[in-house]
């Protein structure tokens, strides 16, 4: 081969390699359509096209609107998709077209006072929402060393939490409880009474009736004015429920980027985990703990870590996630995993709720891991004294109730018996009552005098 032929060959080979690299780098640009070959449950199998994990595809559904689906897995030349909308009428060999670009969601200040779906579409009938910018549904990671430390208290208007489980701006807390113990009511109180600039509420996997009741009764017109509600009811596909939690977090991140203090309330983290479990099992991931695949426990910290404080001088996201303890089992894998990634937990007790005390907060089983960082020494001292007397009474309640305890045997128990009515009264609060941080600390001190 002469020099000219060698040069032509090298140039041709280089061109082929360059073309191959471009194909590997951005194959979604090709938009080669594929076809639907199988549907099992909610999982769609597609051949003949390429799309990366997490990207979107449009499935042509005859004369109806195309169905949007997301890539959740692949095997050799097959893609596994999960539909975002209704699959009614979908037929074999339907054409599947990848959508170029990542998943972006519209956010803006006009979201305040609105109720939207997991895709960001209005549910309240108040017309279209003006979009200020588009952000990633998966969010952007913040360098942990760039985050502003938690140094300020957040007033949530509930005296038991303000006084004994003081929250800090940027804290992530779990609200652990079984069904019907008052989680939604407590969330509604905090939404209306908090001093946060903006409240973002994510209703994930709840019954449709409860969504309407929360917006109308628990939140109310005044609470809705500075709130955004993202609702993905239980009858939504699992991917939509997953996106509802991610959208609520993206909206909270937008308001944080505007320098605002945001309270993110998500009901519930368990429904988010269950949606991921449905998706993972559908694509063949093996279960690991009580039916939950490993990807569930990887998704939880990815969602939770997006909340918290922003960079120095920016806003904050204080997040409260309800965690459903199935059968009131506090060792449930989701409950146990949530404890490990959150900055504290508030436990609601069915026994306390049955006794008629609301909110049914079990202060002995609850903890705020940042309270020592944000509360004053005087406040901490009063809170420790309250906990000591309350715990002493609870530990000896059976002896006291049957008259087996002798007065004078233990001065701490004697004091607990005398003060217990006042302690119990401090922990009780009507749904319409609001206690500021100062009023809460004052009421806490009065319960001990």
């Amino acid at each position: 081969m002469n020099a000219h032929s060698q040069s032509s060959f090298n140039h041709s080979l280089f061109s082929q390699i360059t073309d191959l690299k471009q194909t590997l780098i951005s194959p979604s640009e090709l938009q080669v359509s594929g076809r639907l070959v199988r549907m099992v449950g909610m999982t769609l199998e597609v051949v003949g096209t390429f799309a990366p994990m997490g990207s979107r595809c449009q499935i042509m559904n005859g004369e109806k609107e195309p169905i949007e689906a997301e890539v959740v897995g692949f095997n050799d030349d097959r893609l596994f998709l999960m539909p975002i909308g209704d699959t009614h009428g979908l037929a074999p060999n339907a054409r599947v077209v990848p959508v170029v670009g990542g998943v972006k969601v519209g956010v803006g200040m006009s979201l305040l006072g609105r109720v939207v779906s997991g895709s960001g579409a209005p549910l309240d009938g108040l017309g279209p929402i003006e979009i200020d910018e588009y952000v990633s549904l998966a969010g952007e990671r913040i360098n942990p060393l760039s985050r502003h430390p938690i140094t300020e208290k957040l007033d949530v208007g509930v005296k038991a939490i303000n006084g004994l489980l003081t929250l800090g701006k940027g804290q992530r807390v779990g609200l652990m409880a079984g069904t019907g113990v008052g989680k939604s009511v407590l969330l509604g109180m905090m939404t209306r009474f908090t001093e946060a600039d903006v409240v973002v509420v994510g209703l994930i996997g709840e019954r449709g009736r409860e969504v309407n009741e929360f917006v109308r009764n628990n939140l109310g017109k005044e609470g809705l004015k500075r709130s955004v509600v993202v609702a993905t009811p239980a009858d939504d596909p699992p991917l939509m429920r997953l996106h509802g939690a991610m959208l609520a977090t993206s909206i909270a991140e937008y308001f944080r980027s505007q320098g605002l203090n945001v309270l993110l309330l998500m009901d519930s983290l368990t429904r988010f985990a269950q949606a991921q479990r449905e998706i993972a099992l559908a694509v063949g991931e093996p279960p690991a703990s009580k039916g939950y695949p490993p990807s569930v426990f990887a998704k939880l910290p990815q969602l939770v870590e997006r909340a918290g404080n922003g960079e120095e001088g920016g806003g904050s996201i204080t997040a409260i996630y309800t965690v459903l303890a199935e059968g009131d089992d506090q060792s449930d894998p989701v409950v146990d995993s949530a404890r490990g990634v959150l900055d504290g937990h508030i436990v609601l007790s069915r026994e306390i709720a049955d006794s008629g005390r609301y909110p049914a907060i079990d202060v002995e089983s609850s903890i705020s891991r940042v309270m020592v960082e944000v509360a004053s020494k005087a406040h901490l001292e009063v809170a420790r004294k309250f906990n000591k007397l309350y715990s002493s009474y609870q530990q000896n309640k059976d002896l006291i109730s049957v008259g087996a305890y002798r007065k004078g045997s233990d001065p701490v128990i004697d004091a607990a018996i005398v003060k217990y009515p006042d302690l119990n009264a401090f922990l009780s609060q009507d749904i319409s009552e609001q206690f500021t941080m100062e009023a809460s600390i004052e009421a806490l001190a009065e319960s001990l005098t």
Side-chain angles (χ1 to χ4, degrees), residues 95 123 140 160 167 197 229 305 329 384:
R95 186 164 165 257
L123 295 176
E140 302 292 337
L167 305 183
D197 301 317
V229 179
E305 283 296 323
D329 181 12
R384 289 192 185 106

Side-chain angles (χ1 to χ4, degrees), residues 2 22 30 42 52 64 84 94 103 128 167 176 190 195 214 230 243 263 265-266 284 299 317 326 336 339 344 364 407:
N2 58 35
Q22 290 174 348
L30 299 175
M42 296 295 289
K64 298 181 181 179
I84 296 173
V103 180
L167 305 183
M176 319 285 193
M190 288 189 282
E195 65 173 0
F214 184 89
V230 179
H243 286 178
L263 178 61
L265 304 174
M266 192 169 294
K299 282 279 188 181
I317 300 175
E326 296 186 359
D336 203 42
R339 278 202 191 93
E364 291 183 285
K407 186 178 180 181

Side-chain angles (χ1 to χ4, degrees), residues 430-441:
D430 189 79
I431 187 175
S432 60
E433 283 185 292
Q434 178 181 359
F435 283 81
T436 63
M437 183 65 70
E438 293 74 19
S440 300
I441 297 173

Side-chain angles (χ1 to χ4, degrees), residues 44-189:
L44 310 176
E45 291 187 25
V46 176
V47 296
T49 189
F50 177 94
M53 281 287 293
S55 64
R56 295 281 178 88
C57 294
Q58 294 278 357
I59 305 173
M60 304 306 154
N61 192 20
E63 296 180 357
K64 298 181 181 179
E65 286 289 320
I67 297 170
E68 198 166 12
E70 185 172 306
V71 180
V72 294
F74 56 85
N75 184 10
D76 291 333
D77 61 341
R78 296 194 173 215
L79 292 179
F80 299 138
L81 309 182
M82 191 69 66
I84 296 173
D86 184 19
T87 57
H88 183 72
L90 199 58
N93 294 314
R95 186 164 165 257
V96 181
V97 180
V99 178
V100 178
V103 180
K104 299 286 186 178
V105 292
V107 293
M109 297 301 292
S110 60
L111 279 166
L112 290 173
R114 303 301 299 270
V115 182
V116 299
S117 68
S119 62
L123 295 176
D124 49 18
L126 299 179
I129 298 171
E130 185 178 342
I131 302 302
D132 293 342
E133 62 180 275
Y134 287 88
V135 298
S136 170
L137 186 64
E140 302 292 337
R141 290 192 64 184
I142 299 178
N143 185 332
L145 297 181
S146 301
R147 287 184 184 267
H148 181 64
I150 300 173
T151 56
E152 297 180 56
K153 291 182 283 190
L154 178 71
D155 185 354
V156 294
V158 180
K159 58 181 175 178
I161 297 176
N162 283 345
L164 300 172
L165 304 164
T166 312
L167 305 183
K169 292 179 181 178
Q171 185 177 358
R172 288 84 53 95
V173 185
L175 190 58
M176 319 285 193
T179 56
V181 186
K183 298 188 301 298
S184 298
V185 174
L186 183 56
L187 284 182
M189 291 174 66

